[in-house]
Amino acid sequence: MVKIRLTRTGKTHSPSYRIVVADQRSPRDGRFIEEIGHYNPNSKELKVNEESAKKWIANGAQPTPTIKALLKKAGVIA
């Protein structure tokens, strides 16, 4: 199954995340299919490629609960 999830980047105690589409069997920070955005929880910065996100959801990719909340916040899904 394909999932839309977060991949952690950034330094220790200063996280930053990429929003990626990945196979659920791959590790958290491992191989991914496509990067569709990024999220910085410290500055609350959120950027999402809406077209790619909608395309992947239409093709059956399942967002994690955190990503679902972030996509709602960005206005990608209702």
Side-chain angles (χ1 to χ4, degrees), residues 2-75:
V2 177
K3 293 253 185 194
I4 302 175
R5 63 185 185 193
L6 294 173
T7 297
R8 185 184 162 117
T9 59
K11 296 188 277 186
T12 307
H13 305 296
S14 180
S16 180
Y17 298 94
R18 292 180 186 164
I19 301 171
V20 297
V21 178
D23 189 300
Q24 75 175 17
R25 296 171 294 184
S26 63
R28 180 192 72 181
D29 296 335
R31 194 167 125 189
F32 59 88
I33 300 168
E34 182 180 356
E35 181 181 336
I36 61 171
H38 65 274
Y39 172 60
N40 186 344
N42 296 326
S43 65
K44 305 294 188 221
E45 181 185 0
L46 172 63
K47 295 214 177 181
V48 180
N49 183 339
E50 293 183 22
E51 292 177 13
S52 292
K54 288 179 182 178
K55 179 190 82 163
W56 280 106
I57 290 171
N59 286 337
Q62 297 293 315
T64 61
T66 304
I67 290 295
K68 196 173 211 176
L70 288 173
L71 291 177
K72 283 181 183 178
K73 183 178 176 183

